């Protein structure tokens, strides 16, 4: 014969940790080697303790000090281990708010203006057509 125990919770309190918000204008002020903040994917970090440990050197990080460093961070192609170091070695300050809207970047590196840029097909196609026409003219004339 097994006895079962049932507990009823009458007053349950759920604690939700509040994440601080960091205003973009405030982050801009932290742009020196003694006080270096940046945002990566909308999260603001104090990276000052990591400056001297960064494999690429402190100068690389200071170029984006006080700014949104997401594009620079991703363009380098950081490994998963490097991404984990941000969490482990830098101080999370909060979520970035009030940042100006970024211009969208296309993945191919081309123009994101809806086709106004010069694409490779806009150059090659006319050249191929002219080549075919030249061959036909030479053959049949």
């Amino acid at each position: 014969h097994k006895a079962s125990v049932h507990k009823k919770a009458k007053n349950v309190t759920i604690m939700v940790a509040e994440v601080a918000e960091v205003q973009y204008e405030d982050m801009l002020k932290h742009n020196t080697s003694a006080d270096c903040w940046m945002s990566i994917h909308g999260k603001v970090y104090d990276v000052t303790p990591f400056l001297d440990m960064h494999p690429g050197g402190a100068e690389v990080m200071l170029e984006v000090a006080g700014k949104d460093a997401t594009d620079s961070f991703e363009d380098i192609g950081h490994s998963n281990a490097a991404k984990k170091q941000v969490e482990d070695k830098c101080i999370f300050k909060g979520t970035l708010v009030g940042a100006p809207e970024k211009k969208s970047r296309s993945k191919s590196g081309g123009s994101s203006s809806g086709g106004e840029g010069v694409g490779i097909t806009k150059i090659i196609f006319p050249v191929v057509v002219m080549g075919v026409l030249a061959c036909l003219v030479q053959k049949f004339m």
Side-chain angles (χ1 to χ4, degrees), residues 118-133:
V118 177
I120 191 76
T121 56
K122 291 182 180 180
I123 295 171
I124 290 179
F125 184 73
V127 170
V128 170
V129 169
M130 293 302 289
V132 169
L133 286 175

Side-chain angles (χ1 to χ4, degrees), residues 22-114:
V22 177
Q23 292 293 326
Y24 180 75
E25 295 297 322
D26 292 334
M27 183 181 67
L28 292 174
K29 299 172 190 172
H30 301 273
N31 59 8
T32 67
S33 61
D35 182 28
C36 184
W37 291 15
M38 63 184 62
S39 70
I40 300 171
H41 296 293
K43 295 179 180 178
V44 178
Y45 297 94
D46 178 349
V47 299
T48 312
F50 186 66
L51 288 176
D52 292 332
M53 293 182 270
H54 187 260
E59 300 80 24
V60 175
M61 294 182 74
L62 290 170
E63 288 177 11
V64 290
K67 301 175 186 169
D68 181 352
T70 302
D71 290 342
S72 298
F73 185 81
E74 292 300 331
D75 288 348
I76 295 299
H78 284 96
S79 66
N80 288 335
K83 292 174 182 178
K84 184 166 175 20
Q85 277 189 326
V86 171
E87 302 286 333
D88 294 344
K89 309 243 185 231
C90 302
I91 303 162
F92 177 67
K93 301 306 274 185
T95 303
L96 182 64
V97 293
E101 186 135 344
K102 291 178 11 174
K103 295 177 183 173
S104 64
R105 298 178 355 155
S106 68
K107 292 188 185 223
S108 65
S111 172
S112 61
S113 57

